[in-house]
Amino acid sequence: MLVEPEIPPNTGNVARLGAATGSPLHLVGRLGFRIDEQSVRRAGVDYWHLVDVRTHVDFAQFAHSFERVSPGGRLHLFSALATRSYLEADFAPGDALVFGKESVGLPEDLTTKYADRLVGIPTLGAVRSLNLANAVGIGLFEALRQVGALTPTFIG
């Protein structure tokens, strides 16, 4: 789930991840771009029809929908403010991975409300955080690995 994404190529890359893994893409709040068919086609995103895109006016609407569709599912909020690594998270089927906007991350009200659900991606250098699409890829594939979703697709 992306909260108010600002940069179209990042969302396009996350959409490709969704298409490649069968994961729905939830877009929450005000977007920094348009996702109508003409805009997506103009951007050269030829796989958009393969993505299960769900839009939500705000986080409250998402949360209501999430509780209904995924009872027992948990939120994992990715943030540079986290003190716990995503590698320590216990992902389960039905959970949602939540990422903030490129410029400022997640809103403070969410990081406060869900402080116990914050996870981060450790970096070894002086860089505070990673590109949004890269972070989603790292988190998504770890979650898929933990729930055993990657094993049947291995081509070796």
Side-chain angles (χ1 to χ4, degrees):
M1 187 242 290
L2 303 180
V3 178
E4 298 183 352
E6 301 165 312
I7 302 173
N10 280 333
T11 301
N13 286 326
V14 173
R16 183 182 294 267
L17 284 168
T21 61
S23 303
L25 171 58
H26 294 266
L27 299 174
V28 175
R30 184 178 164 98
L31 308 180
F33 47 87
R34 293 176 28 196
I35 59 170
D36 59 81
E37 185 176 338
Q38 182 179 359
S39 298
V40 170
R41 195 173 342 108
R42 188 179 316 119
V45 180
D46 58 355
Y47 49 82
W48 195 257
H49 67 285
L50 300 174
V51 185
D52 178 7
V53 180
R54 304 173 192 181
T55 58
H56 307 274
V57 173
D58 56 25
F59 193 84
Q61 185 188 55
F62 163 77
H64 177 72
S65 172
F66 180 68
E67 289 171 10
R68 192 179 75 257
V69 173
S70 200
R74 296 167 300 162
L75 301 176
H76 300 274
L77 288 80
F78 283 72
S79 173
L81 304 173
T83 58
R84 189 169 64 105
S85 170
Y86 78 105
L87 295 170
E88 298 171 41
D90 183 24
F91 298 108
D95 287 357
L97 311 182
V98 182
F99 296 84
K101 64 171 88 176
E102 292 90 341
S103 62
V104 295
L106 292 167
E108 186 177 353
D109 62 323
L110 292 182
T111 59
T112 300
K113 181 176 182 176
Y114 298 101
D116 63 327
R117 304 300 312 155
L118 293 179
V119 295
I121 299 171
T123 57
L124 301 177
V127 175
R128 170 181 64 79
S129 62
L130 300 174
N131 168 276
L132 176 62
N134 290 336
V136 173
I138 290 167
L140 177 59
F141 274 88
E142 174 59 15
L144 293 171
R145 184 194 69 78
Q146 284 190 25
V147 302
L150 298 175
T151 304
T153 63
F154 181 73
I155 300 172

